[in-house]
Amino acid sequence: MLRKGLLISSFICSTGLAQQSTTTLPQTVAVQTPEQAVASSSISASETQSPWKLSLGSENYTYEIEQRTLGAQAPVVSSNWIGAVYNVNPKWAIELRQHFQYATNKEKLTGRDKVLNTNDLAVAETLLRIAAKPEWSLWGSKPIIFELRYYIPVDRVAQQNRELGRLRADYYAEWMMNPKWSLATWLSPRIQLNSADNPNKAVGADAEYYQIKFAPYLSYYFNDNVSAYYACALNQKYSQAQRGNWTPDMANVGAHEIGMYIGTGPFLFNPALISETNLDTSDGSVFSKSSRVFSYETLSYNLNAYATF
């Protein structure tokens, strides 16, 4: 049933709950990670004839504040991938995925996006991932989704910084309260691996950077093909020893996200609004005196699409 693919799926984000931000803030991959949506669907697809599948993805976003200040020059960033999935069995799948990035206005980008997008279509990271849906449950949840990723440092920025890649794990569990409503939780520890050859000596030694993301979210199923959700992502840093220009979600940022999952055939679409929160200053927090959640200062528009054939 597609309902499984919709909720037991991939904003194991972004982006992860935030997208690869064109500002100092991060990218969310929806809390029901889009990657996990693909992970889940690819595993269930192993019940068909061939264990090999083709995965495609496109994650696109732009910021409201940049739309207001830059107008037609506001960049829209599109992160796309093509991957090969091998379903070892109905519970385990392995994928090799190559990412590419395109931006409508390279001159207005910041951070890693600016360094990466020197050409119209930039070659980004290569991803090796293992996705699993074992018969594990947590306090009566549906079977837990688990995946492990290694981001191979082949892109231009990683090569310049002599990075050794990133390790990331994602855990996703969902509890159905009734046939329409569910509560879920997503946990994502991450490590950036530096090297002694990193030319940026400003912060720390060649130490790793540790980070953990957590997001509870509430979902409503209209039917087996359409669901809506709200998620609140928190991000905790365990080290300041970052050297080089890694990803925007190095900032201590959380996010509020509302969106939908719409499935049709092999495709899964994920429109979403993401409001980023500075966890150091509480800017954008619902608990701050001048909350700016989902105001134009904190808002990004996201449209993601995923498919497995």
Side-chain angles (χ1 to χ4, degrees), residues 8-10 33-44 85 87 93 95 97 129 131-132 145-147 308:
I8 304 184
S9 125
S10 139
T33 57
E35 277 91 336
Q36 272 188 316
V38 175
S40 174
S41 61
S42 65
I43 292 175
S44 60
V85 180
N87 291 287
E95 180 182 12
R97 179 193 297 175
R129 58 189 286 271
I145 295 286
F146 166 78
E147 67 175 51
T308 304

Side-chain angles (χ1 to χ4, degrees), residues 268-286:
L268 182 64
F269 298 96
N270 171 219
L273 298 176
I274 299 174
S275 181
E276 294 168 326
T277 303
N278 188 319
L279 300 179
D280 292 327
T281 64
S282 296
D283 291 345
S285 169
V286 294

